Amino acid sequence: MIDPTILITYIAACFLFSIVPGPSVSVVVANALGGGTRAGLLTILGTEISMFSMVLIVALGLEAVMAVVAEAFTIIKLIGAGYLIWIGWKMLTSSGELDLHASRRMSARRYIWQGALVNWANPKTLLFLGAFLPQFVDLNRPAFEQIMVLGLIVMAVATVTDALYAFASGQARHLLSAARVRLVNRVSGAVLICGGVWLALQRRA
């Protein structure tokens, strides 16, 4: 059982980590604006599936896994950067016209895959979890179970904060004009493009 004091500190840290908008939040907001709350929530499902896989990797042993992944780090990084830039460009060039029935016709699989790919597009997330989660592990107890519990907690917090963005954006889409949606898409697109460029320029630690 995790010490309550440590648990409160950990949850607070998870909240701060999750509430700051990043590439994943930008995609959630953009999809919720374009396809409604459902589209945003499906995107979140994709991001959480990818995050669970990252937590599992950390729990199984980050050092052992990274010994293999590190050789392909540059390729993973560049592919991820390119994907972020591509999505950002699509947002920048979107018309801003909202189809209120788009979420009914759009494949749920598309939103889920997009959320998962955007999250996996940044291998720094895996490295962050690898550095963050072990800080709260009791070395006198088996690490696997602790890391999985800690990982599920950060996923739960991220789901709540991202869902708030999705619900707010899904409701706001009915109040926004095409010009305002286009502005939001351009800001989100610029964030993703900058994130992709930044990721491409990062050197492996």
Side-chain angles (χ1 to χ4, degrees), residues 24-190:
S24 297
V25 171
S26 295
V27 173
V28 169
V29 170
N31 284 346
L33 284 173
T37 302
R38 170 183 175 273
L41 294 177
L42 287 170
T43 305
I44 293 171
L45 176 59
T47 63
E48 294 308 306
I49 289 174
S50 66
M51 182 170 286
F52 179 79
S53 67
M54 294 181 188
V55 171
L56 187 59
I57 287 175
V58 174
L60 290 173
L62 183 66
E63 291 185 3
V65 173
M66 288 306 296
V68 177
V69 177
E71 298 302 323
F73 184 89
T74 300
I75 297 176
I76 294 174
K77 179 185 68 175
L78 293 178
I79 291 175
Y83 185 70
L84 290 178
I85 292 172
W86 178 71
I87 294 177
W89 176 253
K90 288 187 65 177
M91 290 182 183
L92 279 175
T93 56
S94 67
S95 66
E97 295 293 337
L98 294 177
D99 183 352
L100 298 182
H101 302 289
S103 61
R104 297 179 185 175
R105 298 197 305 267
M106 195 74 71
S107 170
R109 186 180 303 175
R110 172 183 173 185
Y111 291 120
I112 295 172
W113 270 107
Q114 188 179 60
L117 289 174
V118 166
N119 215 23
W120 260 113
N122 186 2
K124 293 289 184 178
T125 302
L126 175 60
L127 296 178
F128 172 80
L129 290 174
F132 179 61
L133 298 183
Q135 303 302 318
F136 298 88
V137 170
D138 182 355
L139 297 179
N140 296 318
R141 297 170 51 232
F144 181 86
E145 292 82 359
Q146 294 182 74
I147 290 180
M148 290 304 299
V149 171
L150 292 170
L152 291 175
I153 291 174
V154 71
M155 287 175 58
V157 174
T159 298
V160 171
T161 56
D162 288 355
L164 292 176
Y165 282 112
F167 279 113
S169 302
Q171 294 301 312
R173 70 192 293 261
H174 298 285
L175 306 175
L176 296 177
S177 64
R180 290 178 178 176
V181 173
R182 186 162 54 247
L183 176 61
V184 172
N185 281 345
R186 286 179 177 175
V187 172
S188 298

